[in-house]
Amino acid sequence: TKCIGIGGVQYIINNNREKILEKYVEDVVKRAYGNRSDLSIAKEACIAIENGAVSLHDMSQGGVYAALWDMAEASGTGLLVDFRAIAVRQEIIEICELLNVNPYELESMGCLLMTSDNDCDIINILKSCNIEAQVIGKVIKGSQRILHNKDEERFLDLPKQDELYRSVE
């Protein structure tokens, strides 16, 4: 649900605002920053549970890559993920690039990763409640964790330290 990187980029902006404003206007920074409601997963978690979600994982530590890895490890399955389906604001990408931070490995408080046997139903229900949601992949047999990006495929690596911590060193 929602888009990745919000929680982490808020911290980054709070600690690097002057440097960011040297390159981007305040409006770009505000769009990247989002708002307080972007940081909660309570509403979508309740909706998902009520509508048959099989598993849930928040993305508050290590970002989407770590959440995908953790979910596959916990379930003993593999994953096939469409990299392009992972929602991220362009403003977050730009701020992360400026500071050499990978938004896919950045704390993403407010995002919820879930599995479900009725993914389209849950997506439609979430959207009817004004919660952004999209299918980003599927569970597969075996242990491979594959990120698919157009004609390229790569394997998901063991999660590293959250980019949030690296960005403040």
Side-chain angles (χ1 to χ4, degrees):
T1 61
K2 301 181 189 147
C3 74
I4 64 165
I6 296 275
V9 88
Q10 286 184 357
Y11 182 85
I12 288 170
I13 290 169
N14 288 341
N15 289 283
N16 297 279
R17 181 173 287 277
E18 289 179 23
K19 181 177 182 176
I20 294 166
L21 288 172
E22 288 173 10
K23 179 157 183 169
Y24 299 108
V25 297
E26 183 66 34
D27 190 49
V28 169
V29 175
K30 284 182 182 178
R31 284 194 308 268
Y33 199 89
N35 58 55
R36 186 176 204 97
S37 65
D38 291 332
L39 300 178
S40 175
I41 61 167
K43 184 176 179 182
E44 57 258 44
C46 288
I47 292 168
I49 291 167
E50 290 170 359
N51 289 282
V54 175
S55 59
L56 306 173
H57 191 309
D58 76 300
M59 294 191 217
S60 62
Q61 286 294 315
V64 65
Y65 287 170
L68 287 165
W69 182 275
D70 290 348
M71 191 170 270
E73 279 290 301
S75 64
T77 63
L79 298 170
L80 179 58
V81 176
D82 180 357
F83 179 80
R84 295 172 298 145
I86 299 170
V88 59
R89 293 180 185 157
Q90 184 61 36
E91 297 85 0
I92 290 174
I93 291 172
E94 292 177 20
I95 289 170
C96 285
E97 283 179 359
L98 176 67
L99 298 169
N100 196 30
V101 170
N102 184 337
Y104 299 91
E105 296 175 344
L106 179 62
E107 188 257 272
S108 292
M109 182 183 296
C111 288
L112 180 65
L113 180 64
M114 66 184 83
T115 60
S116 172
D117 294 329
N118 60 346
D119 54 1
C120 291
D121 291 341
I122 288 181
I123 296 295
N124 291 334
I125 292 165
L126 288 165
K127 287 183 177 184
S128 73
C129 296
N130 297 316
I131 298 170
E132 297 173 50
Q134 56 281 330
V135 175
I136 65 167
K138 64 182 180 177
V139 173
I140 59 174
K141 291 182 180 182
S143 60
Q144 292 184 326
R145 291 142 195 177
I146 302 167
L147 291 174
H148 181 77
N149 186 7
K150 294 185 182 178
D151 294 332
E152 297 178 29
E153 284 188 349
R154 75 173 186 89
F155 293 100
L156 188 63
D157 295 325
L158 183 67
K160 302 174 196 166
Q161 178 183 32
D162 191 304
E163 286 284 271
L164 181 66
Y165 303 115
R166 192 185 64 72
S167 72
V168 296
E169 292 179 342

